[in-house]
Amino acid sequence: MKSTIAVSCIVPVYNVEEYLVEFMDSLVNQSLKNIEIICVDDASTDSSATILEEYKKRYGITILKNDTNQGAPAARNKGLKIATGEYIIFLDSDDFMHINMLEEMYTNCKMSDADMGICYIAEYDGKNIVQTGIKERNKQLITTFPIMGSSLKFDSIFQAITHSPCDKIIRRKILLDNKIEFQNLPCTNDVYYSYSSAICCSKIIYIERDLYFVRQNRRGSITSTWEGKKDFFCEAMDAIYEFMIKKEIKNICYKSFVEKTLINIYTSLMINSDSYKKETLSKLQNIYLKKWEILEAYSQKNLTAVQMQIVEIIMKNQEIIPYYEILFLCKYKQIISLLDEYHKKNKKIALWGVGKIGKIFVDVICSTQKNIDFIIDNDLEKQGQVVKGYEIKNWEAVKDEVDVILITNYAWVKDIKQQTKNTKEIMNIVSYLEIIC
């Protein structure tokens, strides 16, 4: 018999009493009514279980209980086993949703006959919806990687989606037919789920709306207590590599896989502890880079300049320099060519922001000559300082002279558009190098 449930919503719950009512209200009041809600109480020690029971009485939600805390991946997998919906979504119980989220995602997937639908994620600071780089990044991905067609999708699948499961509904049949579950890892456990699922989809669509809201810096969350911990990105990508081989699609996805793997592993080496670096470098040098055939591609020079540099640093135990320094150094010629094109059109160029990445950009690109015209920063303490011969100015001082604004952070786009009244060309130089070049 065909399922009458449109979307099954699976929610692991553990000690989120402070946020659970707001989350549950956003879920039970969804405009799409033929949904099932499966909450997995992962042995909460606060009042979360009591709150769930109240929602069960009022709305008939399903509650599964764990006697001991087993973690989010086990809770999600437990919920998946009893789900009956045509589509599945996994949600985090400290976030919340737009009231039309599920209806918009489900309706668009049905109209397009899509196996997966992805919406925009916004962030919430406890008082306001915060404009971050997530939305701008997704818009860039949609423009650059048309993921509706399978041939193009596979070429760029690891760049075209993020690994969060909360912004995606996916046809349940895809998960069941391919035996896809969450890895039992303390963190990074959604990487395998999201990318393996996407690989198996014939059609993926984006719903270009802010529909899911992530709470920033929640006390006790993985991201807020990250310092000193390690991730399991190597283990996740290794499982995906084996999955690609099993599905006989490695050759189609391989370049995208390598790009995602090397950049993410390298950035994790930058931010994690020395013990993590030592352990991960050993695994990469002795197991993974060989198994994933990256060493072979390196020896044959079949990698990009950035990838070649990352592999060399890993294999030769060189200093872990900032990723963006590698990016700017390896793509120096492309950057200079871009800036020259602007100058040929008599356009004045300003770099907006001299934070960590902006400073690296100036150090690399303007080390020998002035390749830009101005540096702008909203930070009053930075204004008036001199960097590589440039005095840092505020926008009002140069607004009549600037034609093109270079930025290094997606999150700044909305604010800069407002300040400039959307009258200037804005170029995200990092996006240009990572995606376009």
Side-chain angles (χ1 to χ4, degrees):
M1 182 176 176
K2 189 175 181 180
S3 172
T4 58
I5 299 296
V7 182
S8 294
C9 308
I10 301 170
V11 187
V13 177
Y14 179 68
N15 289 358
V16 286
E17 61 181 6
E18 184 177 351
Y19 315 105
L20 188 54
V21 170
E22 183 177 15
F23 166 80
M24 290 301 299
D25 283 347
S26 75
L27 182 53
V28 298
N29 291 308
Q30 285 289 302
S31 58
L32 182 68
K33 298 306 179 185
N34 55 331
I35 64 174
E36 68 176 350
I37 299 170
I38 302 170
C39 294
V40 184
D41 176 22
D42 198 19
S44 295
T45 57
D46 64 0
S47 64
S48 294
T50 302
I51 294 171
L52 289 179
E53 288 296 337
E54 287 299 315
Y55 279 89
K56 181 178 180 179
K57 289 178 185 177
R58 294 172 61 190
Y59 299 100
I61 69 169
T62 299
I63 302 175
L64 303 180
K65 295 184 178 182
N66 288 333
D67 294 330
T68 58
N69 180 248
Q70 298 176 30
R76 287 167 172 164
N77 292 337
K78 186 171 187 174
L80 179 60
K81 284 181 171 61
I82 68 164
T84 62
E86 183 181 0
Y87 287 84
I88 298 286
I89 189 168
F90 294 92
L91 303 164
D92 287 342
S93 52
D94 53 346
D95 298 330
F96 60 96
M97 295 155 285
H98 189 286
I99 195 169
N100 296 329
M101 174 177 168
L102 296 178
E103 182 176 10
E104 289 192 32
M105 295 181 78
Y106 178 73
T107 301
N108 278 280
C109 281
K110 292 296 286 182
M111 288 175 58
S112 304
D113 192 26
D115 294 319
M116 179 184 287
I118 307 172
C119 69
Y120 286 155
I121 293 177
E123 292 190 78
Y124 179 66
D125 66 1
K127 296 180 179 179
N128 301 298
I129 303 301
V130 180
Q131 178 67 27
T132 68
I134 299 174
K135 180 176 178 179
E136 292 301 325
R137 172 70 170 177
N138 282 351
K139 288 173 72 174
Q140 181 67 61
L141 291 173
I142 295 167
T143 303
T144 309
F145 300 116
I147 59 178
M148 304 253 313
S150 59
S151 60
L152 287 172
K153 175 198 64 154
F154 281 123
D155 288 345
S156 55
I157 189 63
F158 292 95
Q159 287 69 50
I161 68 171
T162 66
H163 58 75
S164 170
C166 301
D167 61 351
K168 302 172 180 67
I169 66 169
I170 181 168
R171 208 183 296 272
R172 183 167 63 97
K173 188 175 188 301
I174 296 286
L175 303 178
L176 297 180
D177 289 352
N178 295 282
K179 297 180 173 58
I180 296 172
E181 291 186 333
F182 287 81
Q183 283 183 289
N184 189 24
L185 299 173
C187 54
T188 334
N189 50 66
D190 47 9
V191 172
Y192 172 79
Y193 166 81
S194 292
Y195 291 114
S196 295
S197 300
I199 286 170
C200 295
C201 292
S202 297
K203 191 173 188 180
I204 302 173
I205 61 167
Y206 261 104
I207 295 87
E208 299 180 48
R209 284 245 292 147
D210 293 336
L211 296 176
Y212 190 79
F213 304 98
V214 174
R215 195 176 299 275
Q216 288 183 331
N217 302 319
R218 177 178 76 79
R219 294 187 304 275
S221 69
I222 288 176
T223 51
S224 67
T225 58
W226 180 257
E227 188 175 354
K229 297 185 178 181
K230 70 173 188 175
D231 64 29
F232 291 83
F233 198 78
C234 285
E235 289 80 357
M237 297 311 289
D238 187 52
I240 293 171
Y241 181 81
E242 293 185 353
F243 186 81
M244 291 191 302
I245 293 175
K246 180 180 178 181
K247 294 297 175 182
E248 299 181 345
I249 55 173
K250 179 179 77 84
N251 291 340
I252 305 173
C253 302
Y254 185 69
K255 286 185 179 180
S256 181
F257 169 85
V258 170
E259 176 77 3
K260 180 72 176 181
T261 301
L262 286 178
I263 290 177
N264 278 61
I265 287 176
Y266 188 81
T267 52
S268 73
L269 289 171
M270 288 170 48
I271 64 175
N272 279 285
S273 65
D274 290 339
S275 60
Y276 169 84
K277 291 177 187 176
K278 184 177 180 181
E279 178 184 345
T280 303
L281 285 170
S282 177
K283 289 179 181 178
L284 291 169
Q285 292 163 352
N286 298 310
I287 304 172
Y288 291 130
L289 292 189
K290 182 177 181 180
K291 177 180 179 180
W292 298 334
E293 301 176 52
I294 292 176
L295 278 185
E296 181 180 349
Y298 172 78
S299 65
Q300 295 176 356
K301 293 183 170 53
N302 287 334
L303 301 175
T304 67
V306 172
Q307 293 166 0
M308 292 287 289
Q309 184 65 40
I310 289 175
V311 174
E312 187 165 321
I313 290 172
I314 291 172
M315 294 308 297
K316 295 183 178 180
N317 286 311
Q318 296 176 355
E319 179 187 357
I320 306 295
I321 64 175
Y323 164 71
Y324 293 104
E325 186 173 341
I326 297 175
L327 183 67
F328 297 148
L329 285 169
C330 289
K331 299 196 173 182
Y332 180 87
K333 290 182 179 179
Q334 288 98 320
I335 299 172
I336 297 302
S337 176
L338 172 68
L339 301 181
D340 284 346
E341 285 299 313
Y342 283 131
H343 284 137
K344 286 177 183 178
K345 298 174 184 177
N346 294 317
K347 291 188 175 183
K348 296 289 187 179
I349 306 167
L351 173 69
W352 193 304
V354 277
K356 188 179 295 184
I357 303 173
K359 182 67 164 55
I360 293 171
F361 179 86
V362 176
D363 287 343
V364 173
I365 302 306
C366 304
S367 57
T368 58
Q369 61 181 359
K370 284 200 169 187
N371 291 306
I372 59 176
D373 301 289
F374 305 101
I375 294 180
I376 303 168
D377 202 295
N378 285 336
D379 188 338
L380 294 176
E381 293 184 3
K382 292 179 180 177
Q383 291 170 12
Q385 295 180 14
V386 178
V387 178
K388 291 291 182 180
Y390 296 92
E391 181 183 349
I392 301 174
K393 299 180 180 292
N394 62 42
W395 169 244
E396 289 298 320
V398 298
K399 65 180 182 180
D400 293 331
E401 299 178 72
V402 173
D403 301 296
V404 180
I405 296 171
L406 303 181
I407 62 170
T408 58
N409 190 322
Y410 294 95
W412 299 342
V413 172
K414 183 178 180 180
D415 287 342
I416 292 176
K417 283 183 177 179
Q418 289 177 344
Q419 282 190 252
T420 62
K421 298 180 180 178
N422 208 20
T423 59
K424 307 296 180 180
E425 179 180 350
I426 299 174
M427 164 64 74
N428 188 322
I429 193 65
V430 173
S431 167
Y432 175 78
L433 297 176
E434 286 186 331
I435 300 178
I436 307 300
C437 282

